[in-house]
Amino acid sequence: MRCNSKISYVLFLVGLMLLPQYTMAQDEKVSLILGSSDIGMNQMYTITIQVENGRLKGYSDFPEIEGFVMRGTSSSSSTNIVNGQISSTQKLTQNYAPMREGTYRLSSFEMTVNNQKISSPGATIKVGPAKQQSRQRGFDPFGDPFGRDPFDDFFGRNNSQPQEFVDVKEDAFFALSTSKEEVYVGEGFNLSLAFYVAANNRAPMDFYQLPEQVAEMTKKIKPANCWEENFNIDRVQGIPVTINGKTYTQYKLYQATYFPLNTGEIDFPSLELKMIKYKVAKQQSFFGRNRKEDFKSFRSRSKKVKVKELPDHPLKDKVAVGRYRLTDKLSLKELDAGKSFEYAFTVSGRGNIAAIDQPIQADNKDIEFYPPNIRQNINRNNNRVTGSKTFTFYGIPREPGEYNLGDFFQWIYFDPDKEVYDTLRPKETIKVTGKSQQFLTIESNQLGSFYDKINLESNDLKPLQSPNYWRWIGNTLILLLMGTMAFFLIRKP
């Protein structure tokens, strides 16, 4: 009976290979299947690409889910024969591991599968405590009533010896790298953490709790005496790179540009990245378990960056460091004295854009400038920080004449590539016509009620001294008062 059973299985498999020659393929159908929306902390949420009557040839990125981390993919395929026609199904499943309990929302999303756009309405996912998982096997129409897989005997898996797994040597490394080993104060250098996998690597691996590990590593390496511009990597993607003539896939985990604020030495310690590494079954089977999850830790080398002092200069503690250029713009190039104009002074280039200070203004009485409005743009790409900062001044000329704005503004910086200080000066000129505005300020002020009465008074000249008869009357009254007091004092007994 066992022999007949095995012969039947062989004939069945041969029939599967021969039937496509005599049946016509059905139309391809592509769909997205969302997993259970009520899972435990020890379970995975899944999004599955299903291709019916076709082969999965290509697909776009799976969506990110807040509160979850991607945990690799799994695939499966099946073939059915109904009334002499073959239908096939191929599935690719992306697994998501929950980070904590709670309710999360998977927003509606769209994926491109085999050059077709497939939409999903999303779902609300509830993550509860860990659930006890049953290990009972499902019903198998080709199995026996005791829950055994009839193919186990055919492929030699129902023996008493357990499956043996072996560790395959990996060809990969974890690195902390910096773009420079020595910089000036204020000069930026790029730092990155990346995992590299060689093109000929045969050891299967996957990331383990990556957000938590990266957060812990950045706490250890972030220097306290530096301004940080974080590149905010939110999706880890493989990029082919060549190192010493060998091809690797680079998975960049963290990247930032640091701008030191003082001299000294910046120490970056050795870091550890824990990865999931799978052991491979010594005897591969068609339906059985072919790999076993294990862990492997990779360590980066420590790094040092020396920060040196800027050359002597009266403003060396205040100037920006980088490569910059100036563009400026006037709203009006000709106007009358007393009229306002707008002047934009824009510094752009590579460096710490946030630290750019406004230009130095020369003292003058010819044009009055008001404090500027400030706008800045910062770009973080191609392993460097670039951008611009615009200072918009409003000015009012007081005297007619032709003025070169280079006499009013200047901006000094240090170029670390050339190792020299440089000065940016405007080249715009403005022509002012009309009358001087020097005395108009007094005329426009309100002088008070005392001056308002001037027009009501007579223009006749009057002597400054008062008439003498008022003085005689006053003196006479004083003498009479004194005589009366003396009379009463003499007659007092």
Side-chain angles (χ1 to χ4, degrees):
M1 292 295 294
R2 298 291 291 177
C3 182
N4 292 336
S5 176
K6 290 183 177 181
I7 293 173
S8 299
Y9 299 149
V10 173
L11 293 175
F12 173 74
L13 292 175
V14 172
L16 286 180
M17 292 183 285
L18 294 177
L19 275 173
Q21 301 179 25
Y22 305 100
T23 57
M24 297 184 64
Q26 303 178 33
D27 293 337
E28 181 181 277
K29 180 181 177 182
V30 180
S31 59
L32 292 173
I33 302 174
L34 304 182
S36 172
S37 58
D38 189 357
I39 62 174
M41 279 295 296
N42 59 336
Q43 295 176 316
M44 295 283 186
Y45 182 74
T46 61
I47 299 178
T48 301
I49 299 173
Q50 178 173 283
V51 181
E52 300 178 58
N53 305 315
R55 184 171 60 87
L56 180 59
K57 304 182 218 37
Y59 59 95
S60 59
D61 292 339
F62 283 91
E64 299 280 351
I65 305 178
E66 183 181 359
F68 292 77
V69 290
M70 292 185 178
R71 281 291 179 269
T73 59
S74 58
S75 61
S76 64
S77 60
S78 62
T79 303
N80 296 320
I81 305 174
V82 179
N83 296 329
Q85 289 195 352
I86 296 178
S87 63
S88 64
T89 302
Q90 184 178 358
K91 294 181 180 180
L92 178 73
T93 300
Q94 173 67 61
N95 299 303
Y96 295 84
M99 292 190 290
R100 60 186 66 85
E101 296 180 25
T103 301
Y104 302 92
R105 176 64 187 167
L106 168 61
S107 302
S108 59
F109 64 95
E110 185 178 80
M111 292 184 66
T112 301
V113 181
N114 290 0
N115 294 323
Q116 299 182 42
K117 290 190 179 296
I118 312 297
S119 299
S120 173
T124 299
I125 309 167
K126 183 179 180 182
V127 181
K131 296 182 179 181
Q132 184 175 1
Q133 298 180 1
S134 173
R135 293 194 175 271
Q136 296 181 357
R137 298 173 66 119
F139 173 72
D140 187 346
F142 298 102
D144 63 24
F146 300 102
R148 292 179 297 150
D149 186 349
F151 287 93
D152 284 349
D153 289 331
F154 180 74
F155 290 102
R157 291 188 293 141
N158 256 348
N159 51 48
S160 59
Q161 295 182 356
Q163 178 70 281
E164 184 179 354
F165 295 89
V166 296
D167 186 16
V168 179
K169 177 63 178 176
E170 76 283 346
D171 192 351
F173 65 94
F174 176 52
L176 181 155
S177 57
T178 59
S179 60
K180 300 177 182 178
E181 296 183 353
E182 185 177 78
V183 294
Y184 284 101
V185 174
E187 180 184 0
F189 66 92
N190 192 65
L191 178 143
S192 65
L193 296 176
F195 188 66
Y196 297 83
V197 181
N200 59 355
N201 174 69
R202 293 295 177 263
M205 292 179 290
D206 202 353
F207 290 111
Y208 173 71
Q209 295 184 354
L210 194 57
E212 294 85 348
Q213 289 197 79
V214 172
E216 190 63 29
M217 286 188 285
T218 54
K219 290 180 183 178
K220 295 178 180 179
I221 63 174
K222 187 180 295 184
N225 62 335
C226 289
W227 176 272
E228 179 194 45
E229 288 290 350
N230 194 329
F231 283 63
N232 296 317
I233 297 175
D234 56 4
R235 176 175 293 186
V236 177
Q237 295 178 324
I239 301 174
V241 296
T242 301
I243 302 175
N244 296 328
K246 190 173 180 178
T247 302
Y248 290 85
T249 299
Q250 179 195 60
Y251 297 92
K252 195 171 288 186
L253 311 180
Y254 169 81
Q255 183 176 0
T257 296
Y258 290 116
F259 298 92
L261 304 178
N262 47 45
T263 59
E265 198 169 56
I266 303 174
D267 294 326
F268 296 105
S270 173
L271 300 173
E272 181 180 287
L273 176 66
K274 190 175 183 180
M275 296 285 294
I276 299 174
K277 183 183 176 184
Y278 298 95
K279 292 184 177 180
V280 180
K282 192 172 183 179
Q283 294 183 348
Q284 297 286 309
S285 63
F286 189 74
F287 293 100
R289 183 184 180 196
N290 289 321
R291 65 182 188 177
K292 179 182 177 182
E293 185 178 285
D294 200 359
F295 294 95
K296 169 80 175 182
S297 292
F298 296 83
R299 294 201 68 89
S300 68
R301 295 181 180 179
S302 60
K303 293 280 291 184
K304 293 181 183 291
V305 175
K306 181 181 178 181
V307 183
K308 54 188 178 181
E309 191 174 2
L310 291 175
D312 287 338
H313 189 276
L315 299 175
K316 73 174 185 178
D317 295 329
K318 298 180 180 179
V319 299
V321 179
R323 298 293 303 274
Y324 299 103
R325 64 182 182 276
L326 169 65
T327 55
D328 58 339
K329 184 178 180 181
L330 274 168
S331 61
L332 295 171
K333 293 192 175 184
E334 293 187 14
L335 73 161
D336 292 335
K339 303 295 183 181
S340 64
F341 67 94
E342 186 177 294
Y343 174 61
F345 187 104
T346 301
V347 177
S348 57
R350 171 170 54 89
N352 189 359
I353 305 300
I356 293 177
D357 203 357
Q358 69 182 61
I360 300 171
Q361 289 181 244
D363 293 334
N364 81 95
K365 297 180 180 179
D366 298 327
I367 301 179
E368 182 178 1
F369 288 100
Y370 294 89
N373 296 324
I374 302 173
R375 185 183 74 253
Q376 73 177 20
N377 295 305
I378 300 177
N379 304 312
R380 307 169 191 89
N381 52 35
N382 296 327
N383 299 326
R384 62 182 186 176
V385 176
T386 60
S388 64
K389 200 163 190 176
T390 300
F391 303 90
T392 302
F393 297 86
Y394 290 91
I396 299 178
R398 297 299 181 189
E399 296 292 335
E402 188 167 335
Y403 301 98
N404 186 345
L405 292 182
D407 297 331
F408 296 86
F409 297 97
Q410 65 175 359
W411 192 79
I412 302 172
Y413 71 99
F414 179 76
D415 187 331
D417 296 339
K418 298 179 180 179
E419 297 184 320
V420 295
Y421 291 92
D422 203 350
T423 302
L424 300 179
R425 295 181 185 274
K427 295 182 179 179
E428 291 280 4
T429 59
I430 185 170
K431 185 177 181 180
V432 181
T433 57
K435 297 181 179 180
S436 172
Q437 305 292 299
Q438 183 176 355
F439 301 106
L440 292 184
T441 302
I442 298 177
E443 295 179 2
S444 62
N445 289 338
Q446 177 58 256
L447 300 180
S449 60
F450 175 80
Y451 292 95
D452 292 339
K453 294 180 180 179
I454 292 178
N455 294 329
L456 303 177
E457 296 294 329
S458 173
N459 291 328
D460 296 338
L461 296 177
K462 294 183 179 180
L464 294 176
Q465 295 183 350
S466 300
N468 290 335
Y469 62 88
W470 289 109
R471 184 182 299 172
W472 286 105
I473 292 173
N475 292 338
T476 302
L477 291 175
I478 292 172
L479 291 173
L480 290 174
L481 181 60
M482 293 178 64
T484 304
M485 291 178 63
F487 173 77
F488 282 108
L489 289 173
I490 294 172
R491 289 191 61 185
K492 185 176 180 181

